[in-house]
Amino acid sequence: RVLRPGGRLSFSAWAPPTRTEGFRIALESIAEVGNPNVEGLPDGPNFFDFGDSNQATNALKEIGFVDTRSVELSEMKWTSIKNGSELYDVLLQGTSRTREILLGQTEEDSAAIASLMIQKYDAITDSGKRSLAMPALITSGCKPTSV
């Protein structure tokens, strides 16, 4: 697709795992009892880079966009996930890179990751009494009307 001059481009990205509890639970669990560097998974960019407003707006400015801005959805929560097992399934079925990391584990490591995710979920959410904090950032910029 081509963006017309003066048109606005917008995209969203998750905040870093220090603030997105669902990703923090998963990535910490993988690092603690699994293998975060699964064989065959190509290197990729950090998918949380654009969850930082400075990085996101600077990236747009670097490619010529103007009137860049970011808005954080800091109160966003995952309200439908009721336990750590559901969180594991959501990340396995609804993500790309995290899915491949989970699928690349041995059976033993997969079981250990799932078990630790349940424990971490319960600790963070008081056994499901509150929702997971999952803030995201929406960033946009305008294509200049003239070059």
Side-chain angles (χ1 to χ4, degrees):
R1 312 279 281 150
V2 176
L3 184 64
R4 66 173 172 76
R8 181 166 284 279
L9 169 83
S10 297
F11 60 89
S12 63
W14 294 113
T18 54
R19 297 183 20 248
T20 50
E21 293 173 330
F23 283 113
R24 183 170 72 235
I25 289 169
L27 298 175
E28 284 179 357
S29 297
I30 292 165
E32 289 174 30
V33 297
N35 176 12
N37 302 307
V38 299
E39 191 173 323
L41 186 62
D43 289 338
N46 180 340
F47 61 90
F48 297 106
D49 279 350
F50 292 140
D52 174 274
S53 62
N54 288 330
Q55 283 187 266
T57 55
N58 286 340
L60 287 178
K61 289 174 185 174
E62 286 175 14
I63 59 172
F65 281 79
V66 297
D67 188 24
T68 60
R69 59 184 96 147
S70 289
V71 175
E72 183 173 304
L73 305 174
S74 57
E75 297 302 314
M76 197 158 95
K77 301 195 181 314
W78 278 0
T79 58
S80 62
I81 297 174
K82 303 301 179 200
N83 58 57
S85 181
E86 284 184 15
L87 174 62
Y88 182 93
D89 290 342
V90 163
L91 295 174
L92 184 63
Q93 301 302 321
T95 62
S96 54
R97 190 162 191 85
T98 304
R99 169 189 167 84
E100 293 306 313
I101 292 171
L102 291 171
L103 289 174
Q105 305 297 315
T106 65
E107 279 187 50
E108 295 80 21
D109 286 351
S110 290
I113 290 166
S115 177
L116 187 55
M117 285 179 65
I118 290 168
Q119 292 172 31
K120 287 179 177 284
Y121 176 93
D122 285 346
I124 286 175
T125 66
D126 193 18
S127 297
K129 292 179 183 158
R130 74 163 183 82
S131 300
L132 291 170
M134 293 296 292
L137 193 73
I138 299 175
T139 301
S140 67
C142 285
K143 184 175 180 179
T145 54
S146 62
V147 180

